[in-house]
Coordinates of all heavy atoms in Angstrom, one line a residue:
N135 N -37.4 69.7 -90.2 CA -37.7 71.1 -89.9 C -36.4 71.5 -89.1 O -35.9 70.9 -88.3 CB -39.0 71.1 -89.0 CG -40.2 70.8 -89.8 OD1 -40.1 71.0 -91.1 ND2 -41.2 70.5 -89.2
W136 N -36.1 72.8 -89.4 CA -34.9 73.4 -88.7 C -35.5 74.2 -87.5 O -36.5 74.9 -87.7 CB -34.3 74.4 -89.7 CG -33.1 75.1 -89.1 CD1 -31.8 74.5 -88.9 CD2 -33.1 76.4 -88.4 NE1 -31.1 75.5 -88.2 CE2 -31.8 76.5 -88.0 CE3 -34.0 77.4 -88.1 CZ2 -31.4 77.6 -87.3 CZ3 -33.6 78.5 -87.6 CH2 -32.3 78.7 -87.1
V137 N -34.9 74.0 -86.4 CA -35.3 74.8 -85.1 C -34.2 75.4 -84.6 O -33.1 74.7 -84.3 CB -36.0 73.9 -84.3 CG1 -36.3 74.6 -82.9 CG2 -37.2 73.1 -84.7
A138 N -34.2 76.7 -84.3 CA -33.0 77.4 -83.8 C -32.7 77.0 -82.4 O -33.7 76.7 -81.6 CB -33.2 78.9 -83.8
R139 N -31.5 76.9 -82.0 CA -31.1 76.5 -80.6 C -31.6 77.6 -79.7 O -31.9 77.3 -78.6 CB -29.6 76.5 -80.5 CG -29.0 75.2 -81.1 CD -27.6 75.1 -80.9 NE -27.0 74.0 -81.7 CZ -26.9 72.8 -81.2 NH1 -27.2 72.4 -80.0 NH2 -26.3 71.9 -82.0
K140 N -31.8 78.9 -80.1 CA -32.2 80.0 -79.3 C -33.7 79.8 -78.8 O -34.1 80.1 -77.8 CB -32.1 81.4 -79.9 CG -32.8 81.7 -81.0 CD -32.6 83.0 -81.5 CE -33.4 83.4 -82.7 NZ -33.1 84.7 -83.3
R141 N -34.5 79.0 -79.6 CA -35.8 78.5 -79.3 C -35.7 77.7 -78.1 O -36.5 77.8 -77.2 CB -36.4 77.9 -80.5 CG -37.8 77.5 -80.2 CD -38.5 76.7 -81.3 NE -39.7 75.9 -81.1 CZ -40.8 76.4 -81.0 NH1 -41.1 77.7 -81.2 NH2 -41.9 75.6 -80.6
H142 N -34.8 76.7 -78.2 CA -34.6 75.8 -77.1 C -34.2 76.4 -75.8 O -34.7 76.1 -74.7 CB -33.8 74.6 -77.4 CG -34.3 73.7 -78.4 ND1 -35.4 72.9 -78.4 CD2 -33.8 73.5 -79.7 CE1 -35.7 72.2 -79.4 NE2 -34.7 72.6 -80.4
I143 N -33.3 77.3 -76.0 CA -32.8 78.1 -74.8 C -34.0 79.0 -74.1 O -34.2 78.9 -73.0 CB -31.5 78.9 -75.2 CG1 -30.4 78.0 -75.5 CG2 -31.2 80.0 -74.1 CD1 -29.2 78.7 -76.2
T144 N -34.6 79.6 -75.0 CA -35.7 80.4 -74.5 C -36.8 79.6 -73.8 O -37.4 80.0 -72.7 CB -36.4 81.3 -75.7 OG1 -35.4 82.1 -76.2 CG2 -37.5 82.2 -75.2
K145 N -37.2 78.5 -74.5 CA -38.2 77.6 -73.9 C -37.7 77.1 -72.5 O -38.4 76.9 -71.4 CB -38.5 76.3 -74.8 CG -39.4 76.6 -75.9 CD -39.6 75.5 -76.7 CE -40.3 74.4 -76.1 NZ -40.6 73.2 -77.0
T146 N -36.4 76.7 -72.4 CA -35.7 76.3 -71.2 C -35.9 77.3 -70.1 O -36.3 77.1 -68.9 CB -34.3 76.1 -71.4 OG1 -34.1 75.0 -72.4 CG2 -33.6 75.5 -70.2
I147 N -35.6 78.6 -70.5 CA -35.7 79.6 -69.4 C -37.0 79.8 -68.9 O -37.3 80.0 -67.7 CB -35.0 81.0 -69.9 CG1 -33.5 80.7 -70.1 CG2 -35.2 82.1 -69.0 CD1 -32.7 81.8 -70.9
T148 N -38.0 80.0 -69.8 CA -39.4 80.3 -69.4 C -40.0 79.2 -68.7 O -40.7 79.4 -67.7 CB -40.2 80.6 -70.7 OG1 -40.2 79.6 -71.6 CG2 -39.7 81.9 -71.4
W149 N -39.6 77.9 -69.1 CA -40.1 76.7 -68.3 C -39.5 76.8 -66.9 O -40.2 76.6 -65.9 CB -39.9 75.5 -69.1 CG -40.1 74.2 -68.2 CD1 -39.1 73.5 -67.5 CD2 -41.4 73.9 -67.7 NE1 -39.8 72.6 -66.8 CE2 -41.2 72.8 -66.9 CE3 -42.7 74.3 -67.9 CZ2 -42.3 72.1 -66.1 CZ3 -43.6 73.7 -67.2 CH2 -43.5 72.6 -66.4
R150 N -38.3 77.1 -66.7 CA -37.7 77.0 -65.5 C -38.3 78.2 -64.5 O -38.4 78.0 -63.4 CB -36.1 77.4 -65.6 CG -35.2 76.2 -65.9 CD -35.6 74.9 -65.2 NE -36.1 74.8 -63.9 CZ -36.9 73.9 -63.5 NH1 -37.4 73.0 -64.3 NH2 -37.3 73.9 -62.2
I151 N -38.7 79.3 -65.1 CA -39.3 80.3 -64.2 C -40.7 79.7 -63.6 O -40.9 79.8 -62.4 CB -39.5 81.6 -65.1 CG1 -38.2 82.3 -65.4 CG2 -40.5 82.6 -64.3 CD1 -38.4 83.3 -66.4
L152 N -41.3 79.2 -64.5 CA -42.7 78.5 -64.0 C -42.4 77.4 -63.0 O -43.0 77.3 -62.0 CB -43.5 78.0 -65.2 CG -44.8 77.5 -64.9 CD1 -45.7 78.4 -64.3 CD2 -45.4 76.9 -66.3
A153 N -41.6 76.5 -63.4 CA -41.3 75.2 -62.7 C -40.6 75.6 -61.3 O -40.9 75.0 -60.2 CB -40.5 74.3 -63.4
S154 N -39.7 76.5 -61.3 CA -39.0 76.9 -60.0 C -40.0 77.7 -59.1 O -39.9 77.5 -57.9 CB -37.8 77.7 -60.4 OG -36.8 76.9 -61.1
T155 N -40.9 78.4 -59.6 CA -41.9 79.0 -58.8 C -42.8 78.0 -58.1 O -43.1 78.1 -56.9 CB -42.9 80.0 -59.7 OG1 -42.0 81.0 -60.3 CG2 -43.9 80.6 -58.8
D156 N -43.1 77.0 -58.9 CA -43.9 75.8 -58.4 C -43.1 75.2 -57.2 O -43.6 74.8 -56.2 CB -44.2 74.9 -59.6 CG -44.9 73.6 -59.0 OD1 -46.1 73.7 -58.4 OD2 -44.4 72.5 -59.2
T157 N -41.7 74.9 -57.5 CA -40.9 74.2 -56.5 C -40.9 75.2 -55.3 O -40.9 74.6 -54.0 CB -39.5 74.0 -57.0 OG1 -39.6 73.1 -58.3 CG2 -38.5 73.4 -55.9
L158 N -40.6 76.4 -55.4 CA -40.6 77.3 -54.4 C -41.8 77.3 -53.4 O -41.7 77.1 -52.1 CB -40.4 78.8 -54.8 CG -40.4 79.8 -53.7 CD1 -39.3 79.7 -52.7 CD2 -40.4 81.2 -54.3
L159 N -43.0 77.3 -54.1 CA -44.2 77.3 -53.3 C -44.6 75.9 -52.6 O -44.9 76.0 -51.5 CB -45.4 77.6 -54.2 CG -45.4 79.0 -54.7 CD1 -46.6 79.3 -55.8 CD2 -45.6 80.1 -53.6
I160 N -44.2 74.8 -53.3 CA -44.4 73.4 -52.7 C -43.4 73.3 -51.6 O -43.8 72.9 -50.4 CB -44.2 72.3 -53.8 CG1 -45.3 72.3 -54.7 CG2 -44.0 71.1 -53.0 CD1 -45.2 71.4 -55.9
S161 N -42.1 73.8 -51.7 CA -41.2 73.6 -50.7 C -41.6 74.5 -49.3 O -41.5 74.1 -48.2 CB -39.7 74.2 -51.1 OG -39.3 73.3 -52.2
W162 N -42.0 75.7 -49.7 CA -42.5 76.5 -48.6 C -43.7 75.9 -47.9 O -43.7 75.9 -46.7 CB -42.9 77.9 -49.1 CG -43.6 78.8 -48.2 CD1 -43.2 79.3 -47.0 CD2 -45.1 79.2 -48.3 NE1 -44.1 79.9 -46.3 CE2 -45.3 79.9 -47.1 CE3 -46.0 78.9 -49.2 CZ2 -46.5 80.5 -46.8 CZ3 -47.2 79.5 -48.8 CH2 -47.5 80.3 -47.7
L163 N -44.7 75.5 -48.6 CA -45.9 74.8 -47.9 C -45.5 73.5 -47.1 O -46.0 73.3 -46.0 CB -46.9 74.4 -49.1 CG -47.7 75.4 -49.8 CD1 -48.4 74.9 -51.0 CD2 -48.5 76.2 -48.7
L164 N -44.5 72.9 -47.7 CA -44.1 71.6 -46.9 C -43.2 71.9 -45.6 O -43.4 71.3 -44.6 CB -43.3 70.7 -47.8 CG -44.1 69.9 -48.8 CD1 -43.3 69.1 -49.8 CD2 -45.2 69.2 -48.2
T165 N -42.4 72.9 -45.7 CA -41.5 73.3 -44.6 C -41.9 74.4 -43.8 O -41.5 74.5 -42.5 CB -40.0 73.6 -45.1 OG1 -40.1 74.8 -46.0 CG2 -39.5 72.4 -46.1
G166 N -42.8 75.2 -44.3 CA -43.2 76.5 -43.6 C -42.1 77.6 -43.6 O -42.2 78.5 -42.9
S167 N -41.0 77.3 -44.3 CA -39.8 78.2 -44.5 C -39.6 78.7 -45.8 O -39.3 78.0 -46.7 CB -38.7 77.5 -43.8 OG -37.5 78.3 -44.0
W168 N -39.7 80.1 -45.9 CA -39.3 80.7 -47.2 C -37.8 80.5 -47.5 O -37.5 80.4 -48.7 CB -39.7 82.3 -47.2 CG -41.1 82.5 -47.4 CD1 -41.9 82.9 -46.5 CD2 -41.9 82.2 -48.7 NE1 -43.3 83.0 -47.0 CE2 -43.2 82.6 -48.4 CE3 -41.5 81.8 -50.0 CZ2 -44.3 82.5 -49.2 CZ3 -42.6 81.6 -50.8 CH2 -43.8 82.1 -50.5
K169 N -37.1 80.5 -46.5 CA -35.6 80.4 -46.6 C -35.2 79.0 -47.1 O -34.5 78.9 -48.1 CB -34.9 80.5 -45.3 CG -33.4 80.6 -45.4 CD -32.7 80.9 -44.0 CE -31.2 80.9 -44.2 NZ -30.6 81.2 -42.8
I170 N -35.8 77.9 -46.6 CA -35.6 76.7 -47.1 C -36.1 76.5 -48.5 O -35.5 76.0 -49.4 CB -36.1 75.6 -46.1 CG1 -35.4 75.5 -44.8 CG2 -36.1 74.2 -46.7 CD1 -36.1 74.7 -43.7
G171 N -37.4 77.0 -48.7 CA -38.0 76.9 -50.1 C -37.2 77.6 -51.1 O -37.0 77.2 -52.2
T172 N -36.6 78.8 -50.8 CA -35.9 79.6 -51.7 C -34.4 78.7 -52.0 O -34.0 78.7 -53.1 CB -35.4 81.0 -51.2 OG1 -36.8 81.6 -51.0 CG2 -34.6 81.7 -52.1
G173 N -33.9 78.1 -51.0 CA -32.7 77.3 -51.2 C -32.9 76.1 -52.1 O -32.1 75.9 -53.0
I174 N -33.9 75.4 -51.8 CA -34.3 74.4 -52.7 C -34.5 74.7 -54.2 O -34.0 74.2 -55.1 CB -35.6 73.6 -52.3 CG1 -35.2 72.9 -50.9 CG2 -36.1 72.5 -53.2 CD1 -36.4 72.4 -50.1
A175 N -35.3 75.9 -54.3 CA -35.6 76.3 -55.7 C -34.3 76.8 -56.3 O -34.1 76.6 -57.5 CB -36.6 77.5 -55.6
S176 N -33.4 77.5 -55.7 CA -32.2 78.0 -56.2 C -31.2 76.9 -56.7 O -30.7 77.0 -57.8 CB -31.4 78.8 -55.1 OG -32.2 80.0 -54.7
I177 N -31.1 75.9 -56.0 CA -30.3 74.6 -56.5 C -31.0 74.0 -57.7 O -30.2 73.8 -58.7 CB -30.3 73.6 -55.4 CG1 -29.4 74.2 -54.2 CG2 -29.6 72.3 -55.9 CD1 -29.5 73.3 -52.9
E178 N -32.2 73.9 -57.8 CA -32.9 73.1 -58.9 C -33.0 74.0 -60.1 O -33.1 73.4 -61.2 CB -34.1 72.5 -58.4 CG -35.3 73.4 -58.1 CD -36.2 73.8 -59.2 OE1 -36.6 72.8 -60.0 OE2 -36.4 74.9 -59.4
I179 N -32.8 75.3 -59.9 CA -32.9 76.2 -61.1 C -31.8 75.8 -62.2 O -32.0 75.5 -63.3 CB -32.8 77.6 -60.7 CG1 -34.2 78.1 -60.2 CG2 -32.6 78.5 -62.1 CD1 -34.0 79.5 -59.7
L180 N -30.6 75.8 -61.8 CA -29.6 75.4 -62.7 C -29.5 74.0 -63.1 O -29.3 73.8 -64.3 CB -28.3 75.8 -62.1 CG -28.0 77.2 -61.8 CD1 -26.7 77.4 -61.0 CD2 -28.1 78.2 -63.0
T181 N -29.6 73.1 -62.2 CA -29.5 71.7 -62.6 C -30.6 71.3 -63.6 O -30.4 70.6 -64.7 CB -29.6 70.7 -61.5 OG1 -30.9 70.9 -60.7 CG2 -28.4 71.0 -60.5
K182 N -31.8 71.8 -63.5 CA -33.0 71.3 -64.3 C -32.9 72.1 -65.6 O -33.5 71.6 -66.6 CB -34.3 71.5 -63.5 CG -34.3 70.4 -62.5 CD -35.7 70.2 -61.9 CE -35.7 69.1 -60.9 NZ -36.8 69.2 -59.9
M183 N -32.3 73.4 -65.6 CA -32.2 74.0 -66.9 C -31.3 73.3 -67.8 O -31.7 73.1 -69.0 CB -31.7 75.5 -66.7 CG -32.7 76.5 -66.3 SD -32.1 78.1 -66.0 CE -31.5 78.5 -67.6
V184 N -30.3 72.8 -67.4 CA -29.3 72.0 -68.2 C -30.0 70.7 -68.6 O -29.9 70.4 -69.7 CB -28.0 71.7 -67.4 CG1 -27.0 70.7 -68.1 CG2 -27.3 73.0 -67.1
L185 N -30.7 70.1 -67.7 CA -31.3 68.7 -68.0 C -32.4 68.9 -69.1 O -32.5 68.2 -70.1 CB -31.8 68.1 -66.8 CG -30.9 67.5 -65.8 CD1 -31.5 67.1 -64.4 CD2 -30.1 66.3 -66.4
Y186 N -33.2 70.0 -68.9 CA -34.2 70.3 -69.8 C -33.8 70.5 -71.2 O -34.3 70.0 -72.2 CB -35.2 71.4 -69.3 CG -36.2 71.7 -70.4 CD1 -37.5 71.0 -70.3 CD2 -36.2 72.8 -71.4 CE1 -38.4 71.4 -71.2 CE2 -37.1 72.9 -72.2 CZ -38.2 72.3 -72.2 OH -39.2 72.5 -73.0
Y187 N -32.6 71.4 -71.3 CA -32.0 71.7 -72.6 C -31.6 70.5 -73.5 O -32.0 70.3 -74.5 CB -30.9 72.7 -72.4 CG -30.2 72.9 -73.7 CD1 -30.8 73.9 -74.5 CD2 -29.1 72.3 -74.1 CE1 -30.1 74.2 -75.8 CE2 -28.4 72.6 -75.3 CZ -29.1 73.6 -76.2 OH -28.4 73.9 -77.4
F188 N -31.0 69.6 -72.8 CA -30.5 68.5 -73.5 C -31.6 67.4 -73.7 O -31.6 66.8 -74.8 CB -29.3 67.8 -72.6 CG -28.0 68.5 -72.7 CD1 -27.6 69.1 -71.5 CD2 -27.4 68.7 -73.9 CE1 -26.3 69.9 -71.8 CE2 -26.2 69.3 -74.0 CZ -25.7 70.0 -72.9
H189 N -32.6 67.4 -72.9 CA -33.8 66.6 -73.1 C -34.5 67.1 -74.4 O -34.9 66.3 -75.3 CB -34.7 66.6 -71.8 CG -35.9 65.9 -72.0 ND1 -37.2 66.4 -72.3 CD2 -36.1 64.6 -71.8 CE1 -38.1 65.3 -72.3 NE2 -37.5 64.3 -72.0
E190 N -34.8 68.4 -74.4 CA -35.4 69.0 -75.6 C -34.6 68.7 -76.8 O -35.1 68.4 -78.0 CB -35.5 70.4 -75.3 CG -36.2 71.3 -76.4 CD -37.6 71.1 -76.5 OE1 -38.3 70.6 -75.5 OE2 -38.3 71.3 -77.5
R191 N -33.3 68.8 -76.9 CA -32.5 68.6 -78.0 C -32.6 67.1 -78.4 O -32.5 66.7 -79.6 CB -31.0 69.0 -77.8 CG -30.7 70.5 -77.7 CD -31.2 71.3 -78.7 NE -30.4 71.0 -79.9 CZ -30.5 71.6 -81.1 NH1 -31.6 72.4 -81.2 NH2 -29.8 71.3 -82.0

Side-chain angles (χ1 to χ4, degrees):
N135 291 334
W136 182 83
V137 178
R139 288 183 188 267
K140 68 181 178 181
R141 175 181 166 87
H142 294 294
I143 292 169
T144 302
K145 284 177 67 179
T146 299
I147 292 168
T148 57
W149 170 248
R150 281 312 334 141
I151 291 168
L152 179 62
S154 294
T155 300
D156 178 58
T157 299
L158 171 65
L159 293 173
I160 291 170
S161 299
W162 168 67
L163 287 170
L164 291 175
T165 66
S167 169
W168 284 108
K169 186 176 180 178
I170 293 172
T172 302
I174 292 169
S176 296
I177 292 167
E178 64 94 45
I179 284 173
L180 293 176
T181 58
K182 290 190 180 164
M183 278 179 65
V184 171
L185 290 171
Y186 178 85
Y187 176 80
F188 287 111
H189 181 260
E190 182 74 16
R191 295 299 296 173

